[in-house]
């Protein structure tokens, strides 16, 4: 395949990947605790052998390589809901929830009570305290959750929430439903502060995402136009070479 077509193909694939990530960001504008992601690309240069036919000397091709995603760890806005089990973390830290696959970590503090009185995610995964599941009974009355995670009711302290942090947050793996898994051990998030009756909004800025989307669309169209022009030149060359000689 012609080198120009290969270069354009790599650019088109990069643009397609960027659009996919932007669309996911926009789809999660209203997801509590969601962290914006962006694509990371690198340039790969292939040096062509010099056969002496080019007067400009050795030539090279520049390809686009997808190196993964970069997660924006900036905090979203704090939005007041006044719901007693909506919780937001200020500072570095993650809530711990127990799933069928083990402990998972989240910044999405939109919790509720299940039929057993446990504080859970919308998917039913129980929020973890230092002693395990955090359960509320009718005898506890109105529950207060302090900035340090201490949960108290009418009869005194019920539990203390586990809030953890990691040496390298970017190494966390997305597991869906606003959950992350980790291969590194968690550490107590001593400086994190919990706010009851509030949630942390997504840190996605829709105007920025749409602006980036337009730039990607223009880059994709430019690469497509070059590919079409190259294809047209190849067709014309084939027609001329295949034409019978004129007498």
């Amino acid at each position: 395949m012609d080198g120009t077509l290969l270069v354009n193909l790599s650019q088109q694939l990069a643009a397609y990947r960027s659009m996919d990530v932007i669309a996911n960001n926009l789809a999660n504008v209203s997801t509590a605790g969601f962290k914006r992601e962006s694509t990371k690309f690198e340039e790969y240069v292939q040096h062509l052998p010099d056969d002496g036919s080019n007067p400009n000397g050795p030539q090279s091709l520049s390809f686009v390589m997808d190196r993964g995603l970069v997660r924006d760890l900036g905090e979203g806005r704090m939005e007041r809901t006044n719901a007693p089990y909506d919780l937001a973390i200020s500072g570095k830290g993650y809530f711990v929830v127990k799933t069928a696959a083990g402990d998972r970590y989240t910044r999405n503090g939109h919790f509720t009570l299940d039929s057993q009185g446990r504080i859970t995610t919308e998917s039913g995964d129980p929020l973890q305290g230092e002693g395990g599941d955090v359960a509320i009974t009718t005898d506890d009355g109105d529950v207060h959750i302090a900035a340090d995670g201490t949960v108290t009711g009418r009869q005194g302290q019920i539990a203390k929430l586990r809030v953890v942090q990691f040496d390298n947050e970017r190494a966390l793996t997305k597991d869906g439903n606003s959950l992350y898994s980790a291969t590194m051990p968690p550490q107590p998030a001593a400086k994190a502060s919990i706010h009851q009756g509030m949630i942390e909004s997504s840190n996605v800025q829709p105007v920025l995402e749409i602006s980036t989307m337009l730039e990607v669309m223009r880059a994709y169209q430019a690469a497509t136009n070059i590919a079409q022009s190259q294809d047209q030149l190849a067709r014309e060359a084939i027609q001329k070479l295949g034409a019978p000689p004129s007498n």
Side-chain angles (χ1 to χ4, degrees):
M1 185 180 291
D2 185 83
T4 303
L5 293 178
L6 287 173
V7 170
N8 274 280
L9 178 59
S10 73
Q11 293 176 337
Q12 289 174 324
L13 289 173
Y16 181 85
R17 172 66 166 153
S18 296
M19 289 292 288
D20 189 42
V21 173
I22 293 170
N24 185 62
N25 288 338
L26 290 173
N28 285 281
V29 166
S30 301
T31 302
F34 180 82
K35 301 303 179 185
R36 174 184 180 271
E37 295 178 328
S38 59
T39 48
K40 179 181 179 182
F41 297 109
E42 290 184 0
E43 181 183 24
Y44 174 76
V45 179
Q46 179 182 6
H47 298 285
L48 303 178
D50 184 12
D51 58 5
S53 62
N54 195 314
N56 296 321
Q59 300 296 297
S60 60
L61 297 177
S62 177
F63 297 92
V64 180
M65 296 184 63
D66 185 354
R67 286 302 189 188
L69 298 176
V70 177
R71 188 177 301 128
D72 180 0
L73 299 177
E75 292 185 26
R77 299 184 313 276
M78 295 291 179
E79 298 183 350
R80 181 168 295 282
T81 65
N82 292 321
Y85 300 109
D86 276 350
L87 306 174
I89 297 176
S90 177
K92 290 186 177 181
Y94 293 83
F95 297 109
V96 182
V97 297
K98 186 177 181 180
T99 72
D103 286 349
R104 293 296 184 265
Y105 312 95
T106 184
R107 295 274 300 191
N108 186 343
H110 186 49
F111 298 112
T112 186
L113 290 183
D114 67 4
S115 59
Q116 303 175 46
R118 300 178 304 174
I119 303 178
T120 69
T121 65
E122 291 179 299
S123 301
D125 300 319
L127 180 64
Q128 296 297 286
E130 294 182 348
D133 298 351
V134 180
I136 309 299
T137 68
T138 55
D139 295 333
D140 292 319
D142 293 335
V143 171
H144 173 71
I145 302 176
D148 66 351
T150 301
V151 183
T152 56
R154 183 185 301 146
Q155 299 180 357
Q157 181 172 335
I158 301 170
K160 186 172 183 180
L161 302 182
R162 284 185 65 198
V163 180
V164 300
Q165 64 182 28
F166 301 88
D167 291 333
N168 183 12
E169 289 184 67
R170 298 189 187 280
L172 295 175
T173 302
K174 290 177 66 174
D175 278 8
N177 293 325
S178 299
L179 301 179
Y180 296 94
S181 60
T183 57
M184 69 196 88
Q187 303 170 359
K191 295 183 179 180
S193 179
I194 297 177
H195 303 273
Q196 186 179 17
M198 304 183 74
I199 58 172
E200 177 190 3
S201 67
S202 165
N203 67 357
V204 174
Q205 300 180 45
V207 174
L208 176 61
E209 296 301 318
I210 293 173
S211 175
T212 304
M213 178 183 292
L214 293 175
E215 293 178 2
V216 173
M217 290 175 64
R218 285 194 290 266
Y220 181 86
Q221 188 60 51
T224 301
N225 291 339
I226 293 174
Q228 291 174 345
S229 298
Q230 188 72 11
D231 182 64
Q232 183 62 32
L233 289 174
R235 290 176 181 271
E236 292 176 359
I238 292 172
Q239 289 175 355
K240 289 180 180 180
L241 291 173
S246 58
N247 295 326

